[in-house]
Each structure stands twice: as C-alpha cells, then as structure tokens.
Amino acid sequence: LSCEQATQARQKRMENRLRKDPATKPPLLKDRRLHHIRSISLAVWKHAEQIPEAVLQRHRTEIRKHFRLPDDADIPAELLEEGSRLETHTPNPKYVPGADLVAAALQTEEDIEAFIVGWRKHFLSVVKPRYMPIGWSAESPVHSDVREKE
C-alpha cells in the first residue's frame, strides 16, 4: 500500500468504528424512481425503434406520468433528452462526515492525546522515516501553549 492508501484505510476504519447509524454514511442517496425514468427516457430517445411496442408504450406512459403530460400527448425529443439527464442522486440529510465523527469522539484531553499518538505511530509505521529530530517520539506528551495563554 502507498502511504496515502494506508492513511485512507486507517481513516475509514476509524470512521466505521465511530459511526453508530449507517443511515448517516452515504453523502448522496440514489433515487431509484428518477434513475428508472432517466433510463427509460434514454432508451426511448435513442433506441425507440428497437424496443418492442408493448414495452415502448409502457415506457412512454411512465415518462408522460413523470412529466405530467396528458395520456395521449406526444413526447417531444427535447423532453426525452431532459429525462435522460435527470439527476438521480440527492444529498443525504442524515449524512455526517467522518471528520465530524472523529471530532465529536475527542471529548477529553486524554482522547485527543491518544488520537495524536495513534497518528504519530501510524506515520512511523507507514512512512518509515530514516531521519527524525533528536528526542522525537510517538509517545511524547502532547503539549500546546494555547491553553496556558488563556
């Protein structure tokens, strides 16, 4: 694995461990109905002559219904083209980015320190640096002057 792949795999494992509700995972949801309309619009638009008549009539009925056309209306090519370009994915209102899950899990200074030490160890095991500053250690305490100035 490359360094980037190993890092992404670690991030994914961490996210999966922290995610309690699977409905919060996909950022986009596929609308199967819109996907179907897009598919049959494209088929009717590009290949109507190859589709059996009964199937073609069923597709046209569904397309008319979707676009709220009268039952006997002709379907213009522009409308079929529009149907073939329908966006079939919508944002998931329950989606929670992995970074938000991690941030929410870091409640105490001990949590933050363990998180940082874990990433330091990951860095050492994946990058395998040949030269490091004297005295540097993955286990070194995490220190910040920010809290001292407050």
Side-chain angles (χ1 to χ4, degrees), residues 40-52:
I40 64 175
S41 294
L42 180 62
V44 171
W45 180 39
K46 296 287 188 177
H47 308 287
E49 68 283 347
Q50 298 170 7
I51 301 173

Side-chain angles (χ1 to χ4, degrees), residues 17-33:
R17 185 172 35 83
L18 294 171
R19 190 173 301 282
K20 304 299 181 214
D21 180 359
T24 65
K25 185 172 185 176
L28 297 173
L29 299 173
K30 183 177 182 176
D31 185 321
R32 294 184 190 285
R33 179 81 185 128

Side-chain angles (χ1 to χ4, degrees), residues 8 11 14-15 19 21 40 44 50-51 53-54 63 73 75 82 95 112-113 120 132 135-137 139-140 142 150:
Q8 288 173 350
Q11 288 171 330
M14 187 179 301
E15 179 182 332
R19 190 173 301 282
D21 180 359
I40 64 175
V44 171
Q50 298 170 7
I51 301 173
E53 189 60 33
I63 293 166
I75 305 170
E82 180 184 332
Y95 173 65
I112 295 169
E113 185 155 344
R120 288 175 180 170
M132 292 296 294
W136 189 94
S137 167
E139 300 292 339
S140 294
V142 177
E150 292 178 352

Side-chain angles (χ1 to χ4, degrees), residues 14-150:
M14 187 179 301
E15 179 182 332
N16 290 340
R17 185 172 35 83
L18 294 171
R19 190 173 301 282
K20 304 299 181 214
D21 180 359
T24 65
K25 185 172 185 176
L28 297 173
L29 299 173
K30 183 177 182 176
D31 185 321
R32 294 184 190 285
R33 179 81 185 128
L34 288 177
H35 180 78
H36 176 68
I37 296 298
R38 183 177 75 177
S39 177
I40 64 175
S41 294
L42 180 62
V44 171
W45 180 39
K46 296 287 188 177
H47 308 287
E49 68 283 347
Q50 298 170 7
I51 301 173
E53 189 60 33
V55 175
L56 184 60
Q57 289 311 317
R58 194 170 57 243
H59 288 349
R60 286 180 173 152
T61 299
E62 289 183 71
I63 293 166
R64 283 186 194 102
K65 184 177 178 181
H66 175 77
F67 286 108
R68 296 186 173 104
L69 297 175
D71 292 344
D72 58 346
D74 286 335
I75 305 170
E78 296 81 24
L79 201 56
L80 292 172
E81 182 178 2
E82 180 184 332
S84 73
R85 294 193 175 138
L86 285 173
E87 180 53 58
T88 62
H89 289 81
T90 57
N92 179 357
K94 294 182 179 181
Y95 173 65
V96 178
D100 291 356
L101 294 171
V102 172
L106 302 177
Q107 296 294 312
T108 65
E109 288 190 30
E110 291 79 21
D111 295 339
I112 295 169
E113 185 155 344
F115 175 79
I116 292 170
V117 168
W119 276 104
R120 288 175 180 170
K121 289 178 178 179
H122 172 77
F123 168 76
L124 289 175
S125 69
V126 172
V127 176
K128 297 180 180 38
R130 294 184 0 196
Y131 305 101
M132 292 296 294
I134 295 172
W136 189 94
S137 167
E139 300 292 339
S140 294
V142 177
H143 178 75
S144 171
D145 293 335
V146 174
R147 294 206 184 232
E148 293 174 7
K149 292 179 183 178
E150 292 178 352

